[in-house]
Amino acid sequence: MSDEPTLRVTVTRQEPGEAPRDETFDVPYDDRTTVLDTLDWIKDHAAPALTYRSSCRMGVCGSCGVMVNGRPVLGCETSVAGYRTSGITVAPMTHATVQRDLAVDTDEFLAKLRGVNPWLLPAPAAPAAPEDDPAATVPATVDVLRVHAQTPGQVKAYQGLSQCIDCMLCYAACPVLDDVAGFTGPAAIATARRWDLDSRDEGNETRFPLLVENEEGVWPCIQVGACTRACPKGVDPARAIADYQREAMGG
Ligand code: SF4
Ligand code: FES
């Protein structure tokens, strides 16, 4: 008999249209084993139909979010070594409908993200001077480079917010979404802020009213800060939301 240590892993499983149920497995592990590794082991050795998402296995794609002992984490970045005694319970992310087992429907989250125009909204381009216009002092190509060039300070203004990988952990952690399902949510607001702070972007006049003239925009947030604590990338959605609230009140 192997003397390899095992970890008790309870997985919340659910078929479409059925009630959730827990299944428990004893999974071999060592100091480098992640939550995602345990799910892979279960799928390979005990429950081939176990359904969950993953891709990059390195904290980049944002697809492997799950609840571990009630806390949203990236499965590929979360070591199980600290859970030797308690074991882990792995459940699907909250604030999203379960498709099967640990895979959740991301449509609502992505629709809210799309709703804030999470892309560069540039100022309308000035008509380019003809290449052969002797009166033109700056050729059109050079002018484009000038408009898009940024100082280190301008990059720094939005750099932290640009680290978002849309993993939904903040969305799962947000207690406001327990009561206000329509709340835009921390990730979409942080991403809106990322573009509003970008010196190349002129979209603030579009995004700002979307967030502050909508009672489900920034206003449901009561600054608990769970989103910021949950973020695996150091993004600070709570601060982004507070900044919009303050600006809307003239601060
Ligand atoms: S803000 Fe952080 S926790 Fe929220 S989706 Fe982006 S990376 Fe994930
Ligand atoms: S598998 Fe890509 S972030 Fe975990």
Side-chain angles (χ1 to χ4, degrees):
M1 183 177 156
S2 167
D3 54 5
E4 198 173 16
T6 58
L7 182 81
R8 181 136 294 206
V9 180
T10 300
V11 183
T12 304
R13 304 198 61 185
Q14 187 172 3
E15 297 297 319
E18 293 184 10
R21 67 188 192 281
D22 285 346
E23 290 184 6
T24 299
F25 307 88
D26 290 319
V27 179
Y29 76 100
D30 61 28
D31 286 344
R32 292 167 303 164
T33 304
T34 66
V35 170
L36 179 57
D37 292 332
T38 67
L39 298 178
D40 290 344
W41 188 94
I42 293 167
K43 191 171 179 69
D44 288 346
H45 296 87
L50 180 64
T51 303
Y52 54 95
R53 290 202 178 91
S54 70
S55 181
C56 71
R57 310 187 68 90
M58 55 199 299
V60 174
C61 73
S63 66
C64 65
V66 286
M67 308 295 288
V68 170
N69 295 2
R71 200 167 62 89
V73 298
L74 292 180
C76 72
E77 292 229 304
T78 304
S79 167
V80 300
Y83 297 97
R84 281 186 182 90
T85 318
S86 63
I88 56 173
T89 297
V90 188
M93 295 237 277
T94 48
H95 305 139
T97 305
V98 173
Q99 293 176 313
R100 174 173 277 119
D101 296 339
L102 302 172
V104 297
D105 188 340
T106 60
D107 283 359
E108 184 179 292
F109 172 81
L110 293 174
K112 289 178 179 179
L113 192 60
R114 276 194 299 277
V116 301
N117 298 318
W119 40 68
L120 183 77
L121 293 173
E131 293 285 346
D132 57 355
D133 180 357
T137 51
V138 183
T141 47
V142 175
D143 199 37
V144 167
L145 289 176
R146 182 181 62 74
V147 168
H148 289 281
Q150 292 185 303
T151 66
Q154 287 171 325
V155 173
K156 198 173 170 193
Y158 66 84
Q159 200 165 30
L161 293 167
S162 74
Q163 303 307 306
C164 178
I165 57 172
D166 297 329
C167 65
M168 290 179 65
L169 299 196
C170 56
Y171 196 78
C174 175
V176 171
L177 283 156
D178 293 347
D179 299 318
V180 188
F183 174 41
T184 303
I189 297 172
T191 302
R193 193 71 181 166
R194 175 257 177 271
W195 288 109
D196 282 345
L197 293 176
D198 191 319
S199 61
R200 302 164 297 182
D201 184 271
E202 299 286 337
N204 181 261
E205 286 182 16
T206 305
R207 296 188 196 97
F208 193 71
L210 284 173
L211 292 170
V212 307
E213 294 175 9
N214 170 3
E215 63 182 24
E216 294 185 330
V218 295
W219 301 114
C221 175
I222 50 172
Q223 288 295 316
V224 172
C227 52
T228 295
R229 289 192 294 279
C231 181
K233 294 300 180 187
V235 178
D236 189 352
R239 166 99 185 262
I241 298 168
D243 287 345
Y244 277 123
Q245 290 175 336
R246 193 188 64 252
E247 288 172 10
M249 291 187 287

